[in-house]
Amino acid sequence: MSEEKLGLPPEKDRQWALIENLVGGILVEQRRSRRWGIFFKLLTFFYLFLFLVYVIAMAANMNISKAAKGGEYTAVINVNGVIAADEQASADNIVTGLRAAFKDKKAKAVVLRINSPGGSPVQSGYVYDEIKRLRELHPNKKVYAVIADLGASGAYYIASATDEIYADKASLVGSIGVVASGFGFVEAIDKVGVTRRVYTAGQHKGFLDPFLPPKEDETEFWQDVLNTTHQQFINSVKEGRGDRLKDDPKLFSGLVWSGEQAVSLGLIDGLGSTSYVAREVVGVEEIVDFTPQENPFERFAKQLGASIGAGISQSLGVNSTIKLQ
């Protein structure tokens, strides 16, 4: 009996069906293999990334671990960039390094290596107070500040709490002042035809809004806040430097001086680098970095999250935070 009478597809059709099934199966297996290949590649990359982070973390602590096996050394904590809570030069990071260095019996002295324009008066004040506290707890261990390119405002605030300050002859030192800046967009939004609507509970709640016109009493109030903060800064510098400061009214005007000029004004004690201080002043040439190293994951998350909001507010002039800068 023929295939047509039995209701079966012709031989050629069956062959094509078999070929299609075979090819389809091969394609499915290839797709599965490709997916697993991608998965294992990503897994391998992930493990390599974790290993790299581990290596970086181990390298960051290598100097301290190696030095612990040897003799005495000079402990160094870096203060780089803006002094702020969400920056590397935050009070938490600096204080953590200071405490570890003062606690270490093999650290003969501590050096703050500063290269900063200043920043938050609160963060600077925290570090200043902690340096004073640690000096009282460890009277036999001196702490020095060494200014590189820049040691201004809040950075100098911190430096003034140390036993002695050194800088290069071309370093910029000082800027003992307070600033809070922003922009005013009142006339701009009037021209565009935009109406600013602010609803507050409290008569002066929105007094720093850049889209609202300033009021004389609020401006006077804000200036008084700045003056008070400035006086706190001045008092701390005078307490830290004592009679080494020259009697010059320009010292607290916000001006900056070269390191060479700063010596004659009593703002610093001498000229020299970190290596010079370790070798000639401390008497221990070996240097060990006690600066807390930020976790790479934390650094990435912090930069991603903080840069967006902070960048927008700063570009619009909305941020009126007080700065020693």
Side-chain angles (χ1 to χ4, degrees), residues 20-227:
E20 287 177 354
N21 289 335
L22 180 62
V23 172
I26 293 173
L27 291 175
V28 170
E29 288 300 321
Q30 286 180 342
R31 282 195 292 268
R32 287 177 180 172
S33 298
R34 205 159 40 238
R35 291 193 189 102
W36 280 109
I38 294 172
F39 171 75
F40 283 114
K41 287 178 181 177
L42 290 175
L43 188 62
T44 302
F45 174 78
F46 178 71
Y47 277 115
L48 287 174
F49 180 70
L50 288 180
F51 178 73
L52 179 62
V53 171
Y54 173 76
V55 170
I56 293 173
M58 291 296 293
N61 296 318
M62 192 172 295
N63 284 342
I64 295 177
S65 62
K66 281 184 177 179
K69 299 177 183 178
E72 288 185 324
Y73 46 80
T74 300
V76 172
I77 297 101
N78 292 313
V79 181
N80 290 327
V82 178
I83 301 168
D86 56 353
E87 298 289 342
Q88 180 62 25
S90 67
D92 284 343
N93 285 341
I94 299 171
V95 167
T96 298
L98 282 168
R99 288 175 180 172
F102 269 95
K103 186 178 179 181
D104 196 309
K105 294 181 180 180
K106 292 184 179 180
K108 185 174 181 181
V110 183
V111 174
L112 281 172
R113 184 161 48 196
I114 296 173
N115 192 13
S116 169
S120 164
V122 176
Q123 295 288 304
S124 302
Y126 285 162
V127 179
Y128 179 97
D129 292 340
E130 185 64 13
I131 292 173
K132 303 287 281 188
R133 187 185 75 85
L134 290 171
R135 285 178 61 189
E136 292 179 2
L137 287 176
H138 305 272
N140 295 325
K141 183 174 291 189
K142 287 196 172 186
V143 55
Y144 303 91
V146 176
I147 295 171
D149 296 282
L150 183 62
S153 218
Y156 184 78
Y157 189 172
I158 291 173
S160 67
T162 64
D163 289 287
E164 294 178 9
I165 306 174
Y166 292 84
D168 184 79
K169 60 181 179 297
S171 300
L172 294 179
V173 181
S175 188
I176 303 173
V178 182
V179 62
S181 59
F183 294 93
F185 300 102
V186 179
E187 294 182 4
I189 64 173
D190 285 343
K191 292 179 180 179
V192 177
V194 177
T195 301
R196 174 67 167 168
R197 296 173 181 172
V198 180
Y199 306 100
T200 64
Q203 182 181 356
H204 301 288
K205 185 60 180 177
F207 80 97
L208 291 176
D209 193 315
F211 297 97
L212 295 176
K215 298 178 181 178
E216 185 177 350
D217 59 332
E218 292 176 343
T219 300
E220 291 177 358
F221 166 80
W222 190 232
Q223 185 60 54
D224 187 54
V225 171
L226 299 181
N227 291 339

Side-chain angles (χ1 to χ4, degrees), residues 258-321:
S258 69
E260 189 173 1
Q261 293 171 315
V263 173
S264 61
L265 291 169
L267 290 170
I268 66 175
D269 297 283
L271 302 178
S273 63
T274 302
S275 298
Y276 169 84
V277 172
R279 184 178 61 253
E280 303 296 335
V281 181
V282 179
V284 179
E285 191 169 0
E286 184 178 3
I287 293 174
V288 176
D289 192 345
F290 274 74
T291 310
Q293 300 299 317
E294 193 173 32
N295 186 301
F297 290 109
E298 294 177 351
R299 188 185 306 119
F300 173 75
K302 186 182 295 182
Q303 290 175 348
L304 181 64
S307 62
I308 296 175
I312 293 174
S313 63
Q314 289 178 4
S315 63
L316 291 177
V318 178
N319 188 354
S320 296
T321 306

